[in-house]
Amino acid sequence: MNRQQEIDHKHDQLRTLMSAKKTNAIWIQRTRNIAWLTAGADASIPADVETGVYNILVTPEKRIIFTSNIEAPRLQAEEEFETLGFELHIYEWHRQNHPLDDARIRTQLIPAGQLVTDAALEGDLFLLRTKLNDAEQIRLRALGADAAAALDEAIRAVRPGDSERQIAARLDAAVRVRGGLAIVNLVAVDDRISRFRHPLITDRTLEKYAMIVVCMRRGGLIVAGTRLAHIGAIPAEIQEKAQRVAYVDAAAMVASKPGACLSDIFDDITLAYLHVHEEGEWQNHHQGGLIGYNSRERIAKPGEAATIQVGSACAWNPSIVGYKSEDTILIGENGFEIVTAVGGDFPTIRVEVEGQTVVRPGVLEL
């Protein structure tokens, strides 16, 4: 499936959705949905925006990009949207607050029926986004390999005296040079690993123990991973914690089967914590869940009805005081694959769960 075929296929999916919702126009404005529909375009200029700098009107017959004269030259030259079956409606940035405020445009493009925004259809679009097609799965695997390489590069570079900001800067650079954006970049050193589950970056300097966390976005898709390193011999206490958390992580991965409900996987995770005598630790941080065009599309918790599909991606992130394990997996008909898996001589932990061997990253000794 090339990009043109992927976009056409997704337009077909939206036609089916419009028919079910008895409407004939969807206004796509959220950056994650624009990336999904366009097979990877980035509509964010500020990296943290919810809505894109251009929007897409989708009708059964057309897909029209509404963009200002600021963005249009780049979209025409580099995205080549017009060759992909999009029309461009270009307006002067200073003359129009919103394209659909123009009654003439609304009448011409939406002659009957009710316009629906992607925000109103989030539940339906979530189901489409989280079942990755073959082309998306190929891109996710490539993204996962590059995220793993970026994590490996950054964690191997840590040295005593490095500040968390220096470590984070290396991780960000390793992600950027591979064409991505670190939308989550967390670093903790020494006691901060035990104190905080979301360690925002500080000026603290490394003595012995470092943890780095990334969510890397490229082409709209996102993968997540965590790595840890220790300067010198790794204490037995940390090794034991690594074994316990690896078991919980492996149990979550094995439970991630097509048709499985996130609330049921959450139950499996809490049982795994009990198995390793850390039964209360799940209460101190969410355990992860579905990933894709969001850093987490849905989080596993009691009562969460979302289910795993063939083509879903998950990122589980179990943790106890002083240790965390996290990677991204892609769900197939006959199991899962870890797309952010460590490679080379990075230390690993082999865990047996329900007769299945799962390999998890250990702590890198430097």
Side-chain angles (χ1 to χ4, degrees):
M1 184 185 294
N2 61 32
R3 191 180 184 194
Q4 179 71 72
Q5 291 168 329
E6 182 178 345
I7 291 169
D8 290 344
H9 171 67
K10 289 174 176 177
H11 196 167
D12 285 341
Q13 291 178 299
L14 293 179
R15 288 188 186 97
T16 300
L17 180 58
M18 282 185 271
S19 177
K21 298 297 181 180
K22 295 182 171 52
T23 186
N24 61 2
I26 301 175
W27 184 252
I28 306 289
Q29 57 188 345
R30 292 184 169 180
T31 53
R32 57 181 174 268
N33 294 325
I34 293 170
W36 171 79
L37 174 59
T38 60
D42 187 352
S44 61
I45 297 300
D48 62 342
V49 295
E50 174 77 1
T51 57
V53 293
Y54 56 88
N55 298 164
I56 307 175
L57 178 67
V58 182
T59 71
E61 298 79 24
K62 296 177 179 289
R63 41 186 188 257
I64 305 170
I65 291 176
F66 285 79
T67 183
S68 73
N69 61 305
I70 301 172
E71 307 302 328
R74 177 178 59 85
L75 300 185
Q76 291 170 316
E78 297 181 345
E79 293 292 353
E80 299 181 337
F81 278 138
E82 289 164 309
T83 67
L84 294 168
F86 291 88
E87 298 178 20
L88 262 63
H89 178 93
I90 303 169
Y91 57 91
E92 294 179 324
W93 69 266
H94 57 94
R95 291 183 180 271
Q96 195 167 334
N97 292 328
H98 194 290
L100 292 186
D101 288 341
D102 189 326
R104 179 184 58 83
I105 293 173
R106 289 182 64 98
T107 301
Q108 287 180 351
L109 298 178
I110 314 167
Q114 181 181 1
L115 176 72
V116 180
T117 67
D118 58 347
L121 296 174
E122 175 57 25
D124 301 281
L125 293 171
F126 156 78
L127 294 175
L128 298 179
R129 285 198 314 269
T130 53
K131 184 176 175 60
L132 304 180
N133 61 41
D134 291 345
E136 289 170 313
Q137 292 180 37
I138 291 170
R139 295 200 297 275
L140 188 81
R141 290 186 184 98
L143 172 60
D146 282 347
L151 283 162
D152 189 82
E153 178 182 320
I155 198 66
R156 289 181 186 274
V158 300
R159 295 293 183 270
D162 285 347
S163 73
E164 291 177 349
R165 297 192 193 283
Q166 289 172 313
I167 297 168
R170 293 191 201 107
L171 178 56
D172 187 70
V175 167
R176 278 286 191 180
V177 78
R178 291 169 172 85
L181 177 67
I183 61 169
V184 174
N185 184 343
L186 303 177
V187 176
V189 298
D190 302 305
D191 66 303
R192 292 190 78 237
I193 299 172
S194 296
R195 294 174 61 199
F196 309 115
R197 303 297 166 108
H198 278 161
L200 294 179
I201 302 157
T202 72
D203 290 323
R204 281 286 303 275
T205 57
L206 171 66
E207 295 179 11
K208 292 285 188 181
Y209 191 27
M211 179 179 74
I212 62 174
V213 181
V214 77
C215 288
M216 177 175 171
R217 185 177 73 194
R218 187 174 67 198
L221 290 168
I222 301 168
V223 296
T226 293
R227 301 290 183 264
L228 294 102
H230 192 274
I231 307 299
I234 302 168
E237 179 186 8
I238 292 177
Q239 295 280 32
E240 292 166 2
K241 289 182 176 185
Q243 291 284 343
R244 293 198 292 274
V245 178
Y247 178 85
V248 179
D249 201 5
M253 290 181 176
V254 170
S256 303
K257 300 172 181 175
C261 178
L262 288 189
S263 62
D264 291 337
I265 298 175
F266 174 79
D267 290 340
D268 290 331
I269 291 170
T270 58
L271 286 174
Y273 275 106
L274 182 63
H275 179 80
V276 298
H277 309 291
E278 296 283 359
E279 56 267 31
E281 283 297 310
W282 64 266
Q283 299 178 56
N284 296 316
H285 192 271
H286 75 76
Q287 302 302 301
L290 287 163
I291 194 170
Y293 287 88
N294 271 322
S295 58
R296 294 299 186 274
E297 293 275 9
R298 289 283 193 282
I299 290 174
K301 59 185 177 181
E304 176 53 66
T307 58
I308 305 292
Q309 308 176 73
V310 173
S312 291
C314 296
W316 303 109
N317 49 262
S319 61
I320 62 176
V321 173
Y323 200 83
K324 177 188 176 189
S325 183
E326 180 182 26
D327 268 312
T328 301
I329 61 175
L330 179 62
I331 312 302
E333 292 181 1
N334 300 310
F336 64 88
E337 58 183 294
I338 303 172
V339 299
T340 53
V342 296
D345 62 351
F346 201 97
T348 58
I349 302 168
R350 299 176 71 85
V351 183
E352 297 289 330
V353 178
E354 296 182 7
Q356 185 171 345
T357 301
V358 182
V359 178
R360 304 303 306 117
V363 182
L364 179 68
E365 184 177 318
L366 295 171

